[in-house]
Amino acid sequence: MIAAVEAWRVGLFKRGHWLPNIAAGLIVGVVALPLAMAFAIASGVKPEQGLYTSIIAGIAVALFGGSRIQIAGPTGAFIVILAGVVAKFGVDGLLLATLMAGVMLVLMGVTRLGAVIRFIPDPVIVGFTAGIAVIIWVGQWQYFFGLPLAGDGPFYLKAWQLLQALPRLHGATTLLALGSLALALWGPRVPGLARVPGPLLAMLAATLATVAFAPAGVATIESTFGAIPRALPQLQLPSLSFDRMVLLLPSAFTIAMLGAIESLLSAVVADGMAGTRHDSNQELIGQGIANIASPLFGGIAATGAIARTATNIRNGGTSPLAGVVHALVLVLVLLFLAPYAGKVPLCALAAILWVVAWNMSEARRFLRMVRRAPRADVAILLITFLLTILTDLVVAVNIGVILAMFQFMRRMSASVAVVEHDHASVRDELAEAGLEELPRSVVVYSIDGPFFFGSVDSLERALSWSREPPRYVLLRLERVPFMDATGLKRLESTIGNLRKRGVQVLLSGASLRVLRKLVRAEIVRRDDPTYFKDLAGALRHVQSQVIEPA
């Protein structure tokens, strides 16, 4: 259900709820101001484009999303991807890729893939998130220390160039950055400043210091990117062409997947904090609408922002009104405070991004997983982390998910057992069939678990006898929840090979779902009595063949 409609139905738009939601929206808007500009600059676009994104996406997700307390906007997770797209295809290419990603997100929501996205394993998510955090942290050194820009090339080469340039750091910039970092981390602990968000405190203090003392060589938003326009964003269509869309398809898919993961993780966190329950599919639709609308007004990719959503909840936000108010606060900043925003030093925004990177890295969770998780999961975590840093996010996530799937299939195949039954374990079925003991030339097996391509070898190993093969193999299927095409094919070939050796295979007890597949694959035929409702029926058939008991 659309969150705004649900909030209306339960009365959250009544006058009694206005004040706490307006107050929460004001606070979140203030928190979003430095973050929006910092994320935009780090992504390779102008700072005002981060504000446009927070305004457009904030309203769209608040009204059309699946969580009534979600706050959307640009986030740190997108920085690496967006910066790469801008470097390769330009800002116009980024706008088109974002629009394409928005369409993909809407399609994911319409086709009800919201629950599937949440099945991406934790080692993959923690690995690429920590890798992104490292890239953000290193990528801000140039602004934090006032270093020359690193050249083009892979991350490790840029990091090495920045390390070599560290002795040439700019003193005033570095001191201002260190002060901003201290205020961002510990400013709210100062008596009287507890209600002021750390990032805002750092940005205001650094800006006032820059204006008051005008230190030479300290880069500001205005000196680097020009003045922030005092106007609302204008509708602009990115240039469309089929060839360009094909080139941008991988980037758009990556933006869509990361946006889906981030927004649903944020919604889950919000549910845990506020006791609400979001609609994952509607949330994807809302995020899709946001990412379609944002680039049409010059904005970049957006998703649910965990920190801003948590701030909203902690300050009393309970309805989409808070998300709309947060966007209106940024509109007022654009219209009335844009000249002052241009005075913000870039080193202060770099300090804020250092804090964001540290929070993103979840270092404690990362180290706890390395120490306590199973070895295979640790390997997936570290591989995803290293690939994110050394190659790119697309490669890292793809390989991480593939490795996780292989590991899951290995564990699933290990859990499937083909068990041979003795007389004691089928005593009731023997009695029902009128037998006292199993006939000498009959063996009974059961498959316990899903019979799929990863587990088919277990059946062949179990039926590889070193002794003289029996005349009948009774295969119980009661505990088989499903069979895939490979399992059906291997079962058919196993039955055929055994028949060539004079062994007849009788099947019994399959669920209706599995039985339909057996009939469709023509392993079970009406004119061939090889399938029975239960084991007792199969035993009666064997008895009718005049088999001497042991």
Side-chain angles (χ1 to χ4, degrees):
M1 178 180 289
I2 299 175
V5 175
E6 182 188 11
W8 180 273
R9 288 180 178 178
V10 298
L12 290 177
F13 285 123
K14 292 182 179 179
R15 185 171 298 178
H17 295 280
W18 286 7
L19 185 58
N21 281 284
I22 291 174
L26 288 171
I27 294 171
V28 175
V30 168
V31 172
L33 174 62
L35 294 176
M37 293 192 294
F39 292 145
I41 292 170
S43 299
V45 299
K46 294 183 178 180
E48 61 264 27
Q49 291 182 268
L51 299 176
Y52 299 161
T53 306
S54 290
I55 293 168
I56 303 300
I59 293 174
V61 171
L63 296 180
F64 302 107
S67 170
R68 61 176 182 250
I69 45 181
Q70 179 89 284
I71 302 295
T75 64
F78 277 129
I79 288 175
V80 177
I81 302 170
L82 304 190
V85 176
V86 171
K88 190 173 182 180
F89 300 103
V91 174
D92 196 62
L94 172 60
L95 300 182
L96 179 55
T98 303
L99 192 151
M100 293 166 60
V103 174
M104 292 178 188
L105 283 166
V106 171
L107 292 176
M108 288 180 190
V110 171
T111 54
R112 310 190 68 80
L113 291 178
V116 177
I117 298 296
R118 291 182 293 177
F119 293 151
I120 296 179
D122 268 358
V124 177
I125 294 175
V126 174
F128 78 69
T129 304
I132 290 172
V134 171
I135 295 173
I136 293 173
W137 175 61
V138 175
Q140 292 303 304
W141 288 2
Q142 60 194 46
Y143 296 126
F144 193 96
F145 298 110
L147 303 175
L149 295 178
D152 294 330
F155 167 79
Y156 55 87
L157 288 180
K158 292 180 180 178
W160 177 242
Q161 291 171 5
L162 290 170
L163 280 172
Q164 290 179 312
L166 275 178
R168 303 195 301 273
L169 59 81
H170 188 263
T173 299
T174 304
L175 287 175
L176 197 57
L178 290 172
S180 300
L181 182 62
L183 285 173
L185 289 172
W186 301 296
R189 299 183 185 179
V190 176
L193 299 178
R195 301 290 294 178
V196 183
L200 178 67
L201 191 60
M203 184 187 73
L204 290 176
T207 303
L208 290 174
T210 303
V211 172
F213 300 105
V218 174
T220 64
I221 289 177
E222 190 173 74
S223 67
T224 306
F225 301 99
I228 296 177
R230 296 179 60 177
L232 293 176
Q234 300 296 313
L235 179 65
Q236 52 182 342
L237 293 175
S239 59
L240 301 175
S241 72
F242 180 77
D243 292 341
R244 203 168 190 214
M245 291 173 68
V246 171
L247 288 174
L248 288 168
L249 194 58
S251 299
F253 182 74
T254 305
I255 293 171
M257 288 299 297
L258 186 57
I261 294 169
E262 283 284 304
S263 63
L264 295 181
L265 282 177
S266 179
V268 170
V269 171
D271 287 346
M273 293 181 66
T276 56
R277 186 174 181 179
H278 74 281
D279 183 333
S280 57
N281 295 307
Q282 185 60 45
E283 181 64 21
L284 292 182
I285 293 174
Q287 296 290 341
I289 293 172
N291 281 282
I292 291 172
S294 178
L296 296 179
F297 291 90
I300 57 177
T303 186
I306 296 176
R308 276 158 277 174
T309 299
T311 302
N312 180 38
I313 297 168
R314 292 193 190 104
N315 288 279
T318 58
S319 79
L321 178 60
V324 174
V325 170
H326 131 270
L328 294 179
V329 169
L330 298 177
V331 170
L332 294 176
V333 170
L334 268 178
L335 295 179
F336 300 105
L337 300 177
Y340 302 100
K343 305 297 182 182
V344 175
L346 296 182
C347 61
L349 297 183
I352 292 170
L353 285 180
W354 273 27
V355 177
V356 170
W358 171 255
N359 293 331
M360 275 186 63
S361 70
E362 294 188 277
R364 294 176 183 173
R365 184 182 180 191
F366 186 97
L367 294 174
R368 190 185 311 117
M369 191 173 288
V370 169
R371 290 196 304 266
R372 301 179 182 178
R375 291 182 179 178
D377 291 328
V378 173
I380 293 170
L381 169 71
L382 296 177
I383 290 171
T384 305
F385 172 73
L386 292 173
L387 287 176
T388 302
I389 294 174
L390 299 177
T391 59
D392 60 57
L393 184 63
V394 179
V395 173
V397 173
N398 286 343
I399 292 180
V401 170
I402 290 171
L403 290 175
M405 290 172 58
F406 284 154
Q407 173 64 6
F408 172 76
M409 288 185 291
R410 186 187 69 82
R411 289 172 177 167
M412 285 289 292
S413 62
S415 68
V416 178
V418 179
V419 180
E420 182 177 357
H421 292 274
D422 57 15
H423 169 79
S425 61
V426 293
R427 183 181 293 110
D428 294 340
E429 288 82 358
L430 287 171
E432 189 177 346
L435 294 171
E436 295 183 0
E437 295 182 352
L438 273 175
R440 180 180 302 169
S441 55
V442 174
V443 292
V444 179
Y445 289 92
S446 67
I447 301 177
D448 295 347
F451 196 62
F452 69 111
F453 63 90
S455 61
V456 291
D457 290 339
S458 56
L459 177 63
E460 294 185 348
R461 287 196 301 268
L463 299 183
S464 299
W465 301 286
S466 57
R467 63 183 188 274
E468 183 70 20
R471 285 188 59 189
Y472 287 89
V473 170
L474 278 54
L475 195 57
R476 305 179 67 176
L477 305 176
E478 292 97 332
R479 298 182 181 178
V480 178
F482 69 87
M483 284 189 180
D484 69 354
T486 305
L488 291 167
K489 181 64 177 176
R490 193 66 65 87
L491 178 61
E492 183 181 25
S493 63
T494 300
I495 292 173
N497 292 335
L498 289 176
R499 283 179 176 172
K500 292 177 181 178
R501 299 171 62 186
V503 180
Q504 186 173 355
V505 179
L506 306 181
L507 309 176
S508 68
S511 66
L512 183 60
R513 179 183 180 186
V514 172
L515 180 58
R516 286 174 177 168
K517 293 184 177 182
L518 294 171
V519 172
R520 192 178 301 120
E522 297 185 349
I523 296 173
V524 172
R525 300 183 181 90
R526 294 182 180 180
D527 57 349
D528 185 11
T530 57
Y531 176 79
F532 300 87
K533 182 179 179 180
D534 52 30
L535 179 61
L539 289 169
R540 281 193 290 268
H541 174 77
V542 171
Q543 187 182 29
S544 70
Q545 303 302 306
V546 195
I547 303 297
E548 293 295 331

